[in-house]
């Protein structure tokens, strides 16, 4: 039986796509392996949200060159966002790659592999129009939480972002197909689903009828056996009162929202074309907290966007202090060729971006610690995800508020919901002990 090794870069949508690739290849009798040396086929599912990720992908492809020299029958496939953006660059820099496919061509991978085994290589299959079929097979990577895409692509064209160019325009998945996948996940024993989209709040706009994302949450919550519903990403400009009410009313929806702010200065938000002001964002936070008082909020922030002066950056720090996010994902602005902001004048030097990022991380670190300490002494429901990343003698899981909790317990609790009393808190995680299973 041939083996396939899959390397995934980037977001949850890419992780899901890799689960589909594994599903498609298993139908062709491939077995997934975590041992690259054993593989007959290596799939590299790429991301291109920042230049750094692109460098990482090409450095990995460099390693694969040596492997291909030692094992000439090895088939190498590269797909995803980087491949969609510039397949020729991949071929030029890694001419030993056999297959290149785009983000809308996942379903073609098995046929492309066949062609290579028949002696045709390299093959490029990158289309910019179309929609992925709804019910593709998949082999899930995680055993406790199931990713379920509800909308693909993005229509927003934020000036820094590559996603609309590499993932195409928004295409919602049908309600029936989503519910089928949620039901299947429930039957397989998954307790949590994570509904995915670049902007889930746009769900349904391109479908007939009036179904929107809030309605979808109600539908998903009716599926027996799913105790937790999460979703990402929610765009602040489209976060409606109806959705906030649905979050508050549906027991299964977790008390956590990832709401990317990106920048705290109205000047920079406008240059980014985000479609909201800092005041709009603060209003959303206060509405959310009035409906769900203990809601945990996380965000994405970019520092060093073109034209960001010290005062603009201070406005970002000010928002971080005002909102008191539970956690932030922070990035130095990376100019991606082809995006609007990459052509802007007054790009910020890397040294300035680095200093700003360090200041931001330090301030957020203290806020996260403070927010985590609030949980000390409380008993929380934890979905056990696996062995602790920091100490594999312990278990690690997540609360409904998306806090990581580390505690002692037997491996057979993985995938189960347990109650843990929190004894201490740090910046990365809470620590505690099981009080009941
Ligand atoms: N759809 C999501 C939204 O509207 O916020 C974001 C998806 S994007 C793949 C994930 C995050 O990467 C963004 O929220 C942004 O903070 C960051 N990002 C995207 N493009 C970037 C760039 N050119 N430089 C730095 N960070 C970037
Ligand atoms: Fe990129 Fe903006 Fe679309 Fe998010 S909403 S994927 S940041 S263009």
């Amino acid at each position: 039986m041939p083996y396939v090794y899959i390397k995934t870069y980037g977001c949850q949508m890419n992780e899901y796509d890799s689960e589909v690739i594994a599903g498609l290849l298993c139908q062709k009798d491939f077995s997934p392996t975590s041992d690259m040396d054993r593989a007959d086929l290596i799939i590299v599912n790429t991301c291109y949200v920042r230049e750094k990720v692109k460098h990482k992908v090409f450095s990995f492809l460099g390693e694969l060159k040596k492997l291909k020299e030692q094992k000439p029958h090895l088939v190498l496939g590269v797909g995803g966002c980087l491949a969609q953006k510039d397949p020729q660059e991949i071929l030029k820099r890694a001419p030993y790659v056999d297959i290149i496919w785009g983000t809308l061509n996942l379903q073609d991978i098995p046929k492309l592999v066949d062609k290579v085994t028949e002696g045709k290589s390299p093959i490029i299959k990158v289309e910019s129009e179309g929609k992925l079929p709804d019910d593709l097979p998949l082999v899930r990577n995680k055993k406790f939480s199931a990713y379920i895409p509800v909308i693909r692509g993005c229509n927003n064209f934020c000036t820094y972002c590559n996603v609309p160019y590499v993932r195409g325009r928004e295409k919602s998945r049908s309600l029936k197909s989503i519910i089928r996948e949620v039901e299947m996940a429930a039957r397989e024993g998954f307790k949590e689903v994570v509904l995915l989209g670049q902007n889930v709040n746009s769900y349904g706009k391109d479908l007939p009828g009036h179904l929107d994302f809030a309605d979808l949450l109600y539908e998903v919550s009716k599926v027996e056996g799913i105790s937790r519903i999460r979703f990402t990403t929610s765009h602040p400009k489209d976060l409606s009162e109806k959705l906030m009410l649905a979050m508050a009313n549906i027991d299964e929806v977790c008390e956590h929202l990832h709401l990317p702010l990106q920048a705290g200065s109205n000047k920079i938000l406008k240059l980014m074309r985000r479609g909201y002001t800092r005041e709009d964002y603060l209003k959303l936070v206060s509405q959310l907290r009035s409906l769900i008082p203990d809601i945990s909020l996380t965000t994405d922030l970019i520092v060093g966007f073109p034209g960001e002066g010290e005062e603009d950056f201070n406005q970002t720090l000010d928002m971080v202090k005002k909102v008191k996010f539970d956690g932030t994902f922070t990035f130095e602005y990376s100019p991606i060729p082809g995006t609007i902001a990459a052509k802007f004048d007054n790009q910020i030097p890397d040294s300035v971006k680095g200093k700003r990022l360090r200041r931001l991380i330090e301030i957020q670190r203290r806020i996260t610690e403070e927010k985590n300490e609030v949980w000390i002494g409380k008993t929380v429901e934890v979905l056990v995800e696996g062995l602790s990343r920091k100490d594999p003698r312990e278990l690690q899981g997540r609360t409904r508020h998306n806090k990581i909790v580390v505690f002692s317990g037997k491996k057979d609790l993985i995938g189960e919901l347990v109650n843990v009393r929190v004894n201490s808190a740090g910046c990365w995680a809470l620590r505690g002990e099981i009080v009941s299973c």
Side-chain angles (χ1 to χ4, degrees), residues 163-287:
V163 168
Y165 305 95
V166 293
R167 288 267 178 192
R169 296 299 84 74
E170 284 169 359
K171 283 178 199 82
S172 303
R173 188 173 170 186
S174 74
L175 172 67
K176 274 190 184 160
S177 164
I178 295 169
I179 297 299
R180 266 199 301 275
E181 193 168 332
V182 176
E183 285 170 347
M184 197 191 301
R187 277 198 301 278
E188 286 169 12
F190 286 90
K191 298 204 166 48
E192 177 177 287
V193 290
V194 186
L195 309 180
L196 298 180
Q198 290 304 338
N199 179 11
V200 289
N201 301 344
S202 282
Y203 178 77
K205 285 183 186 161
D206 55 326
L207 294 176
H210 300 286
L211 188 87
D212 63 13
F213 186 64
D215 302 321
L216 177 66
L217 285 181
Y218 283 105
E219 293 301 319
V220 171
S221 72
K222 291 180 196 157
V223 177
E224 285 280 317
I226 298 296
S227 340
R228 290 182 174 195
I229 303 172
R230 298 186 188 279
F231 57 87
T232 194
T233 302
S234 205
H235 195 305
K237 80 175 166 53
D238 299 316
L239 178 58
S240 66
E241 204 171 336
K242 178 175 170 188
L243 177 56
M244 292 188 246
L245 280 168
M247 291 175 65
N249 291 338
I250 303 172
D251 289 345
E252 290 81 3
V253 173
C254 290
E255 294 78 5
H256 167 235
L257 182 66
H258 184 66
L259 192 63
L261 168 65
Q262 310 297 3
S265 133
N266 283 340
K267 178 186 107 188
I268 298 298
L269 286 171
K270 197 165 179 198
L271 286 171
M272 288 177 163
R273 246 197 229 164
R274 287 293 286 177
Y276 53 85
T277 60
R278 54 188 276 127
E279 292 77 20
D280 297 331
Y281 191 96
L282 288 171
K283 194 169 162 211
L284 289 175
V285 171
S286 113
Q287 280 174 290

Side-chain angles (χ1 to χ4, degrees), residues 154-158 160-164 198-199 235 262 274:
C154 184
N155 292 355
N156 284 317
F157 289 92
C158 300
Y160 51 83
C161 185
N162 206 11
V163 168
Q198 290 304 338
N199 179 11
H235 195 305
Q262 310 297 3
R274 287 293 286 177

Side-chain angles (χ1 to χ4, degrees), residues 13 33 119-120 160-162 169 201 217 223 244 280 314 327 356 364 372 386 404 415-416 424:
M13 191 65 95
T33 175
K120 291 178 201 139
Y160 51 83
C161 185
N162 206 11
R169 296 299 84 74
N201 301 344
L217 285 181
V223 177
M244 292 188 246
D280 297 331
N314 283 335
R356 289 184 184 165
Q364 181 58 48
N372 286 353
I404 294 174
E416 299 297 324
S424 62

Side-chain angles (χ1 to χ4, degrees), residues 5-42:
Y5 175 89
I6 303 180
K7 171 93 178 165
T8 310
Y9 291 88
C11 63
Q12 288 123 320
M13 191 65 95
N14 261 17
E15 284 182 42
Y16 178 84
D17 285 349
S18 288
E19 294 180 342
V20 168
I21 296 171
L24 290 162
L25 290 167
C26 282
Q27 285 191 335
K28 282 196 69 64
D29 288 338
F30 274 92
S31 285
T33 175
S34 52
D35 177 2
M36 201 160 73
D37 292 328
R38 200 177 182 190
D40 304 281
L41 167 62
I42 295 182

